[in-house]
Amino acid sequence: MTTTRFAPSPTGYLHIGNLRAALFNYAIARQQGGEFILRIDDTDGERSKEEYVDGIKADLEWLGLTWDRIERQSARMDQYAAAKARLIEMGRLYECFETPTELDLKRKKQLNMGKPPVYDRAALALGEAEKDALRADRGSHWRFKLDLERINWTDGILGDLSIDAASVSDPVLFKNDGQILYTLASVVDDTEFGITDVVRGSDHVTNTATQIQMITALGGTVPRFAHHSLLTGPQGEALSKRLGTLALRDLRAKGVAPMAILSLMARLGSSDPVELRETVAEVVDGFDIAKFGSAPTKFDADDLGPLSARWLAARPYADVADDIAALGVPADHAEAFWAVVHDNIDTVDDMAPWWDLFQNGTPAKVADEDAEFVAQALELLGEPPYTATTWAEWTGAVKDATGRKGKGLFMPLRRAVTGRDRGPEMAEVMPLLQVKPRI
């Protein structure tokens, strides 16, 4: 059975970059009728917060990406301890004693000599007495001993990959304070949960190579790996500096439609054009990881507005009835209100200014050269309620009284009534006005 996972760390809120891994893994599982696991990587007790766990769940539920089960790494410390003991017994995990400063000096020396900054395995040469003395003085950390051979795999996006383990430092799996790091915890979980497919960012490629050796050492089955490209800004700039403004919770607060986000992210960076989908199931059906490329993917948050507007415009009244009622729109005006505004908003929140206009009026937008004309025209308009024929009757009367016609007639009156240069058909607007326009 196909089994995938999305494994966020609860050290912050989900952002548009995280979403790619969540969506891709979700789509693969659902296409195959498999299992999608939400794994909370919360081994960092100091930085992990429960509010972020709740936020991750809320964001995924808002998008419609439901999981089959949830796992938390903080509840699996015994399994990691058992894996540590097995690796030590196998001679694949060894204790090291260098301080961060000493490691930094080693790296600088290697770079100055034109060598790759790879850990020199000096700790393997220490005797037991030396280890005891260092352990008492400064504590220790633990590294996985790589087999110094080429690590090969076929990536679902990047194709055939090969990394020489000799060019990579033995990865640290346990810190000086005993905290287990992501590298081993992820391997143990992926192995024990039977994860068959892992999709994540291309910044994990080297990490994947070392994890393949760890999975093999622990007797697990290596999943199929695929590494998607990283997102950049619209000009190719690093997106990481803007992620704070691209949290999913902030996009939701702005009224961006979930299907706009999913439709864009399911195709962005692939050879297929972006197509607005109606349901999560349609997004899943149209997803093909083989069509994604390795080049950095440009993301522009402004692309979400038109997609969100198109999705919203296609909603039937029943889907937004509660939102309209919450604005205070009378029931006998509600459906007409939606019919008027649905093509003129980007988000649900954009309805509020329109109802305020209809209920309370708005400052007229009148050019100096039109001031006298508009004042005369408004004298020819009676008090509400207005009907579907009011606009035609009023503009006809103004035309007869002033001689104006065409754009010179209609545009100043639209601006006087709505304060806008464009918008819905005025014949449909007039019956919704609760007050007479005034300059």
Side-chain angles (χ1 to χ4, degrees), residues 394-413:
W394 179 40
T395 55
V398 174
K399 178 182 178 181
D400 291 342
T402 65
R404 283 212 189 192
K405 58 184 178 180
K407 186 176 180 179
L409 169 67
F410 298 114
M411 183 58 76
L413 296 186

Side-chain angles (χ1 to χ4, degrees), residues 29-253:
R30 293 293 177 255
Q31 282 182 340
Q32 301 299 318
E35 185 177 43
F36 176 65
I37 299 172
L38 172 60
R39 192 183 77 209
I40 304 298
D41 287 5
D42 56 352
T43 56
D44 188 341
E46 290 187 5
R47 296 179 62 224
S48 298
K49 297 185 184 300
E50 203 61 29
E51 66 184 274
Y52 295 138
V53 176
D54 294 339
I56 288 166
K57 293 178 183 177
D59 286 337
L60 292 177
E61 289 172 340
W62 172 64
L63 291 166
L65 304 184
T66 54
W67 51 91
D68 297 296
R69 77 177 204 254
I70 187 168
E71 299 282 353
R72 296 187 68 142
Q73 289 190 331
S74 59
R76 292 178 48 78
M77 293 303 177
D78 289 345
Q79 285 84 349
Y80 308 143
K84 179 180 182 180
R86 286 180 59 196
L87 291 173
I88 292 174
E89 184 179 359
M90 294 163 59
R92 298 301 297 272
L93 193 66
Y94 62 99
E95 196 172 11
C96 301
F97 303 90
E98 292 89 353
T99 65
T101 299
E102 290 169 344
L103 288 173
D104 188 51
L105 288 173
K106 283 188 177 187
R107 282 191 291 266
K108 288 179 179 178
K109 183 177 180 180
Q110 289 170 316
L111 289 170
N112 288 336
M113 296 172 63
K115 297 180 179 181
V118 176
Y119 179 61
D120 59 10
R121 293 183 169 178
L124 290 174
L126 296 173
E128 290 304 317
E130 291 175 293
K131 290 181 182 179
D132 288 341
L134 287 168
R135 195 179 295 121
D137 176 60
R138 60 178 64 183
S140 63
H141 56 276
W142 293 80
R143 290 181 183 267
F144 178 75
K145 186 180 179 183
L146 292 166
D147 285 334
L148 301 183
E149 60 190 21
R150 296 206 74 84
I151 304 168
N152 306 298
W153 76 96
T154 299
D155 192 271
I157 294 175
L158 303 178
D160 292 336
L161 294 178
S162 179
I163 290 180
D164 185 359
S167 68
V168 181
S169 290
D170 290 339
V172 176
L173 303 189
F174 292 86
K175 295 171 66 174
N176 280 26
D177 60 3
Q179 180 191 336
I180 182 173
L181 296 181
Y182 160 84
T183 311
L184 180 62
S186 183
V187 163
V188 173
D189 291 345
D190 288 348
T191 299
E192 295 187 5
F193 297 161
I195 300 299
T196 61
D197 296 79
V198 175
V199 185
R200 54 190 180 186
S202 57
D203 52 336
H204 281 284
V205 168
T206 300
N207 189 39
T208 292
T210 60
Q211 286 186 327
I212 286 174
Q213 280 205 9
M214 282 181 242
I215 292 169
T216 303
L218 290 171
T221 300
V222 177
R224 291 179 289 268
F225 285 98
H227 294 83
H228 60 71
S229 60
L230 300 182
L231 294 181
T232 72
Q235 305 304 318
E237 70 274 20
L239 195 66
S240 58
K241 297 178 181 178
R242 299 179 55 214
L243 287 179
T245 64
L246 294 174
L248 295 180
R249 67 199 302 264
D250 293 333
L251 295 176
R252 175 172 46 175

Side-chain angles (χ1 to χ4, degrees), residues 289-313:
I289 198 166
K291 293 186 176 181
F292 284 81
S294 60
T297 301
K298 293 181 179 180
F299 170 79
D300 190 344
D302 290 342
D303 291 338
L304 291 172
L307 283 171
S308 192
R310 283 172 50 202
W311 185 86
L312 188 57

Side-chain angles (χ1 to χ4, degrees), residues 251-257 302 304-313 320 323-324 327 329 337-338 340-358 418 420 422-424:
L251 295 176
R252 175 172 46 175
K254 293 176 182 176
V256 176
D302 290 342
L304 291 172
L307 283 171
S308 192
R310 283 172 50 202
W311 185 86
L312 188 57
V320 294
D323 296 296
I324 292 174
L327 294 176
V329 181
F337 173 76
W338 178 239
V340 166
V341 304
H342 75 280
D343 280 329
N344 294 274
I345 56 176
D346 290 337
T347 71
V348 170
D349 292 345
D350 293 339
M351 292 194 297
W354 279 106
W355 179 241
D356 184 59
L357 184 159
F358 297 147
T418 68
R420 304 175 184 226
R422 58 183 61 87

